[in-house]
Amino acid sequence: MTAGSAPPAAVIEALEQMDFDITHVYGATEVFGPTCPAPGNGKWDALDAAERARLRRARACRSPVLEFMIVADPETLEELPWDGETIGECMMRGNVVMSGYLKNPKTTAATFRGGWYHTGDLAVRHPDGYIEVKDRLKDIIISGGENISTIEVESVLYRHPSVLEAAVVACPDAHWGEVPCAFIELKPGAPEVSEAAIIDYCRERMARYKVPKKIVFGPLDKTSTGKIQKHILRERAKQLAS
């Protein structure tokens, strides 16, 4: 079982090749933790490993202990279509959702606008009911009016044979407002790879506006538990831009 953030499809695929049966669970401390599992779908078994891993990554469904989970417009609270394309905020309601933050009524009121727990995660809902998390609301990159999911770009980077870990953040840009900047740690002993080579690799696999404009090699800033600290990487990106 894996939780905390959506693992790249390449990681799920590699683990399945070693006979691990991986289940991704989605949730938050505010909703009891791993509230929303992503159990395998019997229809996925016949797919090739790469496609099956892509489907299992970042998807979740409502568990029996959670009464409601929707993808809705964060302002109007109107539930959005189950079309796998319309992006909104994932919201939850039910008995496993906390009643509020201790001695913090201001944050509690903001987090529970309209009677829903606002997760701060941007997601889409597919016709089969699965919710796919696209990005954190604070992590999404808006470049020239286009929304770029950092998770999507990171998933491509993780498939590069020399990449051990990758994190993508927004970098200020005078023309586009902000552009993707990728921080990459290479695998020990892997062949050296240049910034231009990584950018070319991305250009072959995604829309041009999603391609990172800057690649920074080296160890990633992490917490004591191994979580990548994107707020530090964002500050480093700002320094690079200036």
Side-chain angles (χ1 to χ4, degrees):
M1 181 176 288
T2 179
S5 62
V11 173
I12 295 178
E13 184 179 352
L15 287 168
E16 285 191 348
Q17 290 173 355
M18 293 186 284
D19 290 332
F20 283 94
D21 184 11
I22 298 298
T23 297
H24 172 238
V25 291
Y26 167 68
T29 303
E30 292 88 341
V31 290
F32 170 65
T35 305
C36 308
N41 185 321
K43 298 178 181 178
W44 299 350
D45 295 340
L47 302 174
D48 64 75
E51 179 64 9
R52 186 168 58 251
R54 186 188 69 81
L55 290 171
R56 296 186 71 171
R57 185 202 136 272
R59 295 201 178 200
C61 61
R62 183 184 64 81
S63 67
V65 297
L66 182 69
E67 279 83 347
F68 300 100
M69 179 171 68
I70 63 172
V71 173
D73 184 303
E75 299 301 326
T76 66
L77 307 185
E78 181 181 355
E79 186 171 6
L80 299 175
W82 294 23
D83 57 9
E85 296 180 0
T86 307
I87 296 179
E89 185 179 12
C90 183
M91 304 179 191
M92 302 176 186
R93 192 162 65 194
N95 289 336
V96 295
V97 179
M98 70 172 188
S99 58
Y101 296 103
L102 182 64
K103 299 180 181 179
N104 195 339
K106 184 177 179 180
T107 302
T108 298
T111 304
F112 285 90
R113 299 187 311 277
W116 290 93
Y117 166 60
H118 292 248
T119 64
D121 289 322
L122 293 175
V124 298
R125 192 155 199 171
H126 292 273
D128 59 8
Y130 280 91
I131 283 178
E132 180 182 357
V133 178
K134 290 293 187 180
D135 214 341
R136 290 290 294 169
L137 190 58
K138 63 183 179 181
D139 290 340
I140 201 79
I141 300 171
I142 304 176
S143 184
E146 296 283 357
N147 290 342
I148 302 173
S149 165
T150 61
I151 293 176
E152 181 182 345
V153 180
E154 289 164 0
S155 293
V156 172
L157 291 169
Y158 267 97
R159 288 197 172 276
H160 190 285
S162 294
V163 172
L164 176 65
E165 292 185 303
V168 176
V169 298
C171 179
D173 182 83
H175 181 70
W176 300 110
E178 53 188 25
V179 294
C181 174
F183 291 83
I184 292 175
E185 183 173 350
L186 299 177
K187 294 176 181 177
E192 287 295 323
V193 60
S194 67
E195 179 181 34
I198 292 290
I199 291 174
D200 287 342
Y201 179 86
C202 291
R203 280 177 177 159
E204 295 172 359
R205 292 164 175 81
M206 65 179 74
R208 293 185 70 87
Y209 71 89
K210 298 179 181 180
V211 174
K213 303 301 185 290
K214 180 68 178 175
I215 308 294
V216 181
F217 295 101
L220 305 184
D221 296 280
K222 298 178 181 177
T223 65
S224 59
T225 58
K227 185 175 181 179
I228 296 173
Q229 295 181 297
K230 282 199 169 183
H231 66 283
I232 295 180
L233 299 182
R234 277 192 287 269
E235 289 303 315
R236 290 176 59 187
K238 288 179 182 178
Q239 293 173 6
L240 290 171
S242 61

